Amino acid sequence: RFGLRPAQDPRMVNTLRVIDALLRKETRTGPVWHRYNEDGYGEHEDGTPFDSTGIGRGWPLLAGERAHYELAAGRVDEARRLGQVMRAQSSEAGLIPEQVWDAADIPELDLFNGRASGSARPLVWAHAEYVKLVRSLQDGRVFDTPPQAVTRYAHAAAPARMAYWAPNNKRRSISTGQVLRIQTLAPVSVHWSADDWRTVRDDQATEVDLGVWHADLATDALPPTDVIRFTLFWREEQRWQEEDYAITVTDAPLRSTDAMVDHAASARQVEEAGATA
């Protein structure tokens, strides 16, 4: 939607297949999508109200988000159909609900398949999504896609000169010409080799913002099929990782979308889960 990947990118297409397998349900008014699997925000199975536990239901605004994807992929008729689904799931007054009931009817609780559940109505977020969809359909393109992002990432495919490895992102390959950045949440020394340990180097990670350390390995001149092997020495604890990692250099083209930013927050979650070292 914001131009970071083309709609036809295999990673996008494959992700949507998983989403549809796990989260899509059909109702009388059209398809709905749940926010995520095991969502507990919604009425119980018997229709009794949410009381801090429950079962997540389909969100009409997600049909709008999917419609924007379909429009970006060139399937205008499907995008228009999903806009009609959002209208069909609104009230007689045109109020779009937060969630729709996607199970069997429970008339005594005023719950009908494909119609509003007991959730918030109207959900202004859903109305905003619908308004943007109407505008996008009129323009024939996703109107709030920044053209600069499309030019840089989808069209020009600016090369990513940096490839990131972190304890929660143990990549297995980099492209030729890339510098491998080892990123951790504590000071480390990176003990590494590109010739199966015949020669070795030790690079010290330095601290950057947000309590993150990184070491940039001089891997940009390595040819395809070379294997970078490394382990970590945790300087504060004075201990070795006792595990070697291997990353293969490939001749895959450099892509800007393959790069990662410094995900300090996500790395911190790994540390809190006890998975950092």
Side-chain angles (χ1 to χ4, degrees):
R1 182 162 182 161
F2 294 110
L4 301 183
R5 298 192 192 279
Q8 296 81 7
D9 188 295
R11 286 164 289 196
M12 298 293 296
V13 174
N14 291 336
T15 297
L16 288 175
R17 287 174 180 159
V18 175
I19 287 172
D20 286 348
L22 290 177
L23 307 177
R24 176 173 172 152
K25 294 190 72 173
E26 294 295 331
T27 73
R28 294 194 194 106
T29 52
V32 293
W33 284 266
H34 290 213
R35 296 185 300 174
Y36 47 85
N37 51 324
E38 307 302 329
D39 187 358
Y41 176 55
E43 286 90 349
H44 290 269
E45 186 175 2
D46 62 1
T48 52
F50 173 74
D51 56 0
S52 298
T53 63
I55 299 174
R57 305 294 170 180
W59 291 58
L61 75 88
L62 296 181
E65 290 192 359
R66 184 57 170 267
H68 277 98
Y69 168 80
E70 297 296 337
L71 182 59
R75 294 185 284 270
V76 180
D77 289 345
E78 179 62 10
R80 197 179 313 280
R81 184 182 78 88
L82 290 171
Q84 293 169 352
V85 168
M86 293 185 74
R87 288 198 296 275
Q89 293 173 348
S90 64
S91 69
E92 293 181 358
L95 303 182
I96 303 175
E98 180 182 57
Q99 300 179 43
V100 297
W101 185 250
D102 51 17
D105 293 350
I106 307 179
E108 61 272 22
L109 296 178
D110 200 27
L111 294 172
F112 299 94
N113 185 268
R115 308 300 301 179
S117 68
S119 60
R121 183 173 59 174
L123 182 67
V124 179
W125 179 14
H127 280 262
E129 185 69 24
Y130 178 74
V131 170
K132 288 195 285 187
L133 177 59
V134 171
R135 168 66 185 271
S136 296
L137 288 170
Q138 176 178 303
D139 292 352
R141 57 178 293 276
V142 181
F143 93 95
D144 58 348
T145 296
Q148 298 88 345
V150 174
T151 299
R152 175 178 173 83
Y153 295 103
H155 295 165
R161 296 300 177 184
M162 192 79 68
Y164 289 82
W165 182 99
N168 64 330
N169 179 51
K170 297 185 177 83
R171 65 185 309 133
R172 298 179 181 178
S173 66
I174 64 172
S175 297
T176 53
Q178 286 187 314
V179 172
L180 177 62
R181 171 167 288 183
I182 307 300
Q183 180 174 286
T184 61
L185 296 178
V188 297
S189 299
V190 183
H191 185 69
W192 68 283
S193 173
D195 57 9
D196 204 20
W197 300 115
R198 288 188 293 275
T199 61
V200 298
R201 288 187 54 173
D202 290 283
D203 288 347
Q204 308 300 312
T206 57
E207 186 176 11
V208 294
D209 292 338
L210 303 177
V212 174
W213 280 257
H214 72 231
D216 293 343
L217 310 189
T219 57
D220 51 322
L222 296 177
T225 73
D226 271 16
V227 178
I228 305 158
R229 303 184 189 279
F230 70 93
T231 190
L232 304 175
F233 180 74
W234 299 88
R235 301 201 303 258
E236 290 180 341
E237 301 175 21
Q238 290 292 295
R239 67 174 179 85
W240 288 97
Q241 180 67 28
E242 297 184 353
E243 181 179 2
D244 289 351
Y245 303 100
I247 298 178
T248 303
V249 180
T250 74
D251 57 2
L254 299 177
R255 293 180 52 122
S256 57
T257 49
D258 288 334
M260 289 177 58
V261 297
D262 287 350
H263 286 300
S266 62
R268 200 174 314 284
Q269 292 173 358
V270 174
E271 182 183 44
E272 290 170 356
T276 297

